[in-house]
């Protein structure tokens, strides 16, 4: 595996920060997946692409934008009609999809070099994220596995709920440090730990 330098490095300070008088209520980390891939189906080919995703990753994906699935190693979610983000801890996902997705089916774009994955977890994760995004983060409205595509002050973000109180956020590498600093600042109020 080729180790890429993290864009967060100058601002990534391990330890507890902020007001943790009542304990640490937020955990922040960079997950560093080996592969981040965007898939897009041509009109009318969405169901075939969903089946291909299942074949390549083993993950079952509900039909429709926003649906998703995660097994702790691989994750996938639809962020727009016929468009999907797929991440894997291992490298090589783009090559696997390039073999499986024919030009008649859709497109494969390897985003591994251009995205940073940040995980926010803890009992106040929904509360902190609501400071940034006009999205209902409550579990019934944003179930485990589901994903959303949004922006915060021109920082494009794709967010997937990967646990009851855990979210993975994919941002452009060029905005990652700025977004990380804002996320840390927003978490200070409830106490956060960087791992």
């Amino acid at each position: 595996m080729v180790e890429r330098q993290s864009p967060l490095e100058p601002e990534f300070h391990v330890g507890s920060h902020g007001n943790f008088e009542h304990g640490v209520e937020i955990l922040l980390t960079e997950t560093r997946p080996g592969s981040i891939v965007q898939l897009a189906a041509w009109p009318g080919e969405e169901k075939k692409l969903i089946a291909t995703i299942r074949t390549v990753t083993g993950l079952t994906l509900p039909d429709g934008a926003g649906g998703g699935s995660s097994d702790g190693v691989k994750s996938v979610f639809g962020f727009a009609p016929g468009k999907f983000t797929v991440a894997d801890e291992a490298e090589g996902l783009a090559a696997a999809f390039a073999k499986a997705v024919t030009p008649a089916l859709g497109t494969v774009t390897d985003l591994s070099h251009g995205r940073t994955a940040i995980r926010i977890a803890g009992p106040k994760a929904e509360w902190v994220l609501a400071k940034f995004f006009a999205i209902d983060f409550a579990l019934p409205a944003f179930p485990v596995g589901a994903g959303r595509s949004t922006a915060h002050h021109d920082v494009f973000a794709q967010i997937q709920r990967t646990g009851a109180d855990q979210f993975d956020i994919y941002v452009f590498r060029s905005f990652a440090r700025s977004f990380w600093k804002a996320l840390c600042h927003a978490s200070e109020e409830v106490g956060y730990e960087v791992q």
Side-chain angles (χ1 to χ4, degrees):
M1 178 171 152
V2 176
E3 193 65 32
R4 291 183 288 273
Q5 182 178 358
S6 169
L8 306 180
E9 213 165 86
E11 298 298 330
F12 195 90
H13 306 293
V14 175
S16 298
H17 308 276
N19 178 15
F20 48 91
E21 174 183 329
H22 302 289
V24 172
E25 299 196 75
I26 293 291
L27 300 174
L28 297 174
T29 192
E30 180 183 10
T31 62
R32 294 187 175 218
S35 300
I36 303 172
V37 179
Q38 181 176 302
L39 305 171
W42 299 123
E45 301 298 322
E46 296 86 359
K47 291 192 186 310
K48 288 181 187 174
L49 184 58
I50 289 170
T52 302
I53 292 169
R54 183 175 47 250
T55 300
V56 172
T57 66
L59 298 173
T60 301
L61 182 66
D63 194 3
S69 178
S70 179
D71 67 6
V73 175
K74 297 177 187 161
S75 61
V76 60
F77 62 94
F79 65 90
K83 295 184 179 182
F84 307 91
T85 296
V86 188
D88 189 346
E89 285 186 9
E91 292 182 346
L93 194 59
F97 275 116
K99 292 177 185 173
V101 177
T102 65
L105 181 59
T107 62
V108 177
T109 307
D110 187 357
L111 302 176
S112 305
H113 64 288
R115 298 289 190 273
T116 297
I118 296 169
R119 177 168 290 157
I120 179 171
K124 292 289 188 179
E126 291 177 9
W127 183 80
V128 170
L129 289 176
K131 291 180 173 185
F132 290 89
F133 307 107
I135 293 175
D136 185 352
F137 287 100
L139 197 53
F142 199 150
V144 174
R148 305 288 184 266
S149 180
T150 187
H152 171 71
H153 291 284
D154 296 327
V155 177
F156 175 70
Q158 293 180 316
I159 306 167
Q160 182 178 30
R161 181 178 222 130
T162 52
D165 63 354
Q166 177 176 289
F167 298 85
D168 289 350
I169 307 165
Y170 301 92
V171 296
F172 291 117
R173 280 179 66 85
S174 56
F175 290 110
R177 187 178 310 158
S178 174
F179 183 76
W180 175 263
K181 286 172 68 174
L183 195 58
C184 289
H185 181 67
S187 301
E188 284 178 351
E189 196 174 341
V190 293
Y192 70 97
E193 184 173 327
V194 176
Q195 298 179 328

